Amino acid sequence: MRNARFWKHRFAATTDSDQHEPVFPDRARDCKVDGPNQLWVADLTYIAILGGFVYLAAIMDAWSRRIVGYALSRRIDARLTLAGLTAAIEDRNPPPGCIHHSDSEHARAGSLGMT
């Protein structure tokens, strides 16, 4: 089981619990979604590749449950999350009031100033 040992220790940290960024109210918690582009939820994850990891920032429309924007990078930072959000905005052109929600500090930092 040589491969089991290899994968057992191969991971990447995507969460930093030592938050220095402001925490915004969770406007998505009680949001009633009855159509597309009302609530977008974002998350970050990593994908193991032969040379290490790449990070994925994905934006999902809560109503259709489809990915509306994404970005890949070797670094997990605000630029990655902004690239994913920008791709979603350019593709979907959301109406005013569309909520972008994430519980990731990188996604929050990347979307400061966004509704």
Side-chain angles (χ1 to χ4, degrees), residues 51-63:
F53 298 96
V54 291
Y55 297 96
L56 169 69
I59 312 293
M60 182 179 73
D61 183 295
W63 181 74

Side-chain angles (χ1 to χ4, degrees), residues 13-108:
T14 58
T15 302
D16 177 6
S17 60
D18 184 21
Q19 297 179 13
H20 300 289
E21 298 294 330
V23 176
F24 296 96
D26 184 357
R27 294 176 50 203
R29 181 179 305 266
D30 298 319
C31 184
K32 303 292 186 245
V33 179
D34 59 5
N37 298 321
Q38 296 174 4
L39 173 62
W40 289 353
V41 293
D43 205 357
L44 300 169
T45 192
Y46 66 94
I47 302 167
I49 60 174
L50 196 54
F53 298 96
V54 291
Y55 297 96
L56 169 69
I59 312 293
M60 182 179 73
D61 183 295
W63 181 74
S64 66
R65 302 197 53 82
R66 292 185 181 196
I67 300 300
V68 295
Y70 70 92
L72 291 168
S73 176
R74 289 209 177 254
R75 297 185 55 176
I76 186 168
D77 58 15
R79 288 183 302 226
L80 170 63
T81 60
L82 276 176
L85 182 58
T86 299
I89 290 169
E90 289 176 354
D91 187 51
R92 299 294 286 253
N93 193 25
C98 178
I99 297 170
H100 171 258
H101 172 79
S102 176
D103 59 1
S104 165
E105 68 275 5
H106 298 290
R108 285 194 307 266

